[in-house]
Amino acid sequence: MCDKHHCFIIPPHILEELAKRGNTSCKKTLNDTHRILQKRNNILNNLMVRQVEEGDGDRLIYDCQNLSQQRVELVRKEDGAATNDESVDKAYDTSGYVRDYFKDAFGLNSIDDNGLDLISNVHYGKDYNNAFWDGDEMTYGDGDGKEFKDFASAIDVVAHELAHGITQFLANLEYQSQSGALNEHFSDVFGTIIKQKYLKQEISDADWLIGDTVVTDEFPGVAIRSMKAPGTANDFDSQPDHMDNYYSGSADNQGVHINSGIPNKAFYLSCLEIGLDECALIWFETLKSLWRTADFDDMLDVILRVTENLQKENKVCGTAREAIEKSFSEVGLAKVVA
């Protein structure tokens, strides 16, 4: 769960660095995070006792009218006609695509597997430089036009944030240290999978970037993160791609956005060996088997066990386990033999 920082697509350290360079919109966005965090903490603290209601995963799109509050005006709902607002229609289309992907690929009934409505808020705040999942719904800023632009239009951003919701209901990975890095990792994994599906790309055609379409030409970089080459996406990208360079400091909630680069690189390498679809199945089944405090070693143990079981069921290729073990070894994560 995200219990110390909100599940935002733009990490706090990037907003901080841009604020230091004089971007007042990034400063204001950063200042708003504490208020939003309080709401999410309340939701997560009551997760086990929340009333479960069966639904159909309907989409509801609200226009925040540039106010810093959600659900100001309902402007489109399931099966409703398109509007003249690109952000509204993009949020509707992309959230539906993400919902349908998880249903078709894994039989998941919306993000909680009980048909939870997909509520999206667009035009949140003024020049708001972020998008977030708050435990109940999605919210997108328009960006300030200087560093960032319309977050609702980016399929990988939408998929990344909705995947935080799926992680919340399936594993509730604690949002700090390695469990938090895994939380971010799974969102990046399904963000890039769904982006490639949406754009009808082959692995060799994909750029493996997260958030490349929400940054402007003035942003000091090409994207927020890179799955293929962690640490190269922008001037502030300090993601390691190997455990030798693991970040052990206290910033970024003990490196949740930073250290996710390590399993991200392992995922990329695994896809090169066995393909996107088989990796998607393996990673989804692994997520279902993780728990709140799982760390990198725990994930490695689980993913190898899951892969072996899927091989026995002939759902993945016979070389899958070997390929995944090799990929994790290349980033400095190896199974310990007793």
Side-chain angles (χ1 to χ4, degrees), residues 228-292:
K228 179 179 181 179
T232 66
N234 57 70
D235 287 358
F236 320 119
D237 186 357
S238 55
Q239 281 198 317
D241 64 0
H242 194 281
M243 287 297 291
D244 285 348
N245 299 312
Y246 181 85
Y247 172 75
S248 57
S250 60
D252 186 33
N253 225 24
Q254 298 174 6
V256 297
H257 292 94
I258 298 171
N259 289 322
S260 59
I262 297 170
N264 279 3
K265 182 62 178 285
F267 174 76
Y268 165 74
L269 294 172
S270 297
C271 287
L272 294 183
E273 294 294 324
I274 62 174
L276 197 69
D277 290 335
E278 292 198 2
C279 282
L281 176 59
I282 291 167
W283 258 256
F284 182 77
E285 292 298 325
T286 297
L287 177 60
K288 287 168 58 179
S289 299
L290 291 177
W291 53 94
R292 184 184 178 197

Side-chain angles (χ1 to χ4, degrees), residues 73-323:
E73 180 185 5
L74 179 62
V75 289
R76 189 172 180 186
K77 56 185 179 180
E78 194 69 31
D79 297 326
T83 69
N84 291 322
D85 188 317
E86 183 176 359
S87 295
V88 170
D89 294 331
K90 277 288 189 179
Y92 180 88
D93 292 341
T94 52
S95 61
Y97 190 90
V98 174
R99 176 197 62 190
D100 293 347
Y101 169 79
F102 281 102
K103 181 178 181 180
D104 295 342
F106 312 117
L108 199 68
N109 181 13
S110 189
I111 62 174
D112 68 342
D113 206 22
N114 284 295
L116 183 72
D117 285 343
L118 299 183
I119 298 172
S120 299
N121 299 273
V122 302
H123 304 309
Y124 177 84
K126 183 174 175 56
D127 298 332
Y128 190 77
N129 284 331
N130 230 324
F132 59 87
W133 163 258
D134 71 359
D136 278 328
E137 56 199 83
M138 281 298 311
T139 301
Y140 305 96
D142 293 327
D144 58 8
K146 177 177 174 56
E147 308 282 356
F148 302 103
K149 52 189 177 181
D150 188 15
F151 288 88
S153 67
I155 183 63
D156 53 343
V157 170
V158 175
H160 174 101
E161 294 302 330
L162 284 174
H164 275 306
I166 291 171
T167 295
Q168 171 183 309
F169 288 105
L170 293 186
N172 203 17
L173 286 162
E174 189 173 19
Y175 205 65
Q176 64 179 358
S177 193
Q178 290 189 12
S179 58
L182 289 176
N183 196 316
E184 282 297 324
H185 164 65
F186 281 100
S187 278
D188 278 350
V189 161
F190 288 105
T192 198
I193 290 170
I194 291 172
K195 176 183 177 181
Q196 291 180 41
K197 296 288 185 181
Y198 187 79
L199 298 176
K200 297 181 173 59
Q201 293 178 330
E202 299 294 330
I203 286 178
S204 58
D205 300 325
D207 55 28
W208 296 89
L209 297 174
I210 300 293
D212 58 304
T213 63
V214 300
V215 299
T216 68
D217 291 339
E218 293 186 46
F219 179 76
V222 296
I224 307 305
R225 285 181 292 281
S226 170
M227 305 283 286
K228 179 179 181 179
T232 66
N234 57 70
D235 287 358
F236 320 119
D237 186 357
S238 55
Q239 281 198 317
D241 64 0
H242 194 281
M243 287 297 291
D244 285 348
N245 299 312
Y246 181 85
Y247 172 75
S248 57
S250 60
D252 186 33
N253 225 24
Q254 298 174 6
V256 297
H257 292 94
I258 298 171
N259 289 322
S260 59
I262 297 170
N264 279 3
K265 182 62 178 285
F267 174 76
Y268 165 74
L269 294 172
S270 297
C271 287
L272 294 183
E273 294 294 324
I274 62 174
L276 197 69
D277 290 335
E278 292 198 2
C279 282
L281 176 59
I282 291 167
W283 258 256
F284 182 77
E285 292 298 325
T286 297
L287 177 60
K288 287 168 58 179
S289 299
L290 291 177
W291 53 94
R292 184 184 178 197
T293 57
D295 61 18
F296 286 179
D297 288 336
D298 292 325
M299 183 204 175
L300 180 58
D301 287 342
V302 171
I303 201 168
L304 293 178
R305 183 174 71 248
V306 163
T307 305
E308 286 178 356
N309 291 337
L310 290 173
Q311 283 183 177
K312 292 175 183 177
E313 297 169 4
N314 294 318
K315 293 182 178 179
V316 297
C317 65
T319 59
R321 187 194 185 284
E322 179 183 357

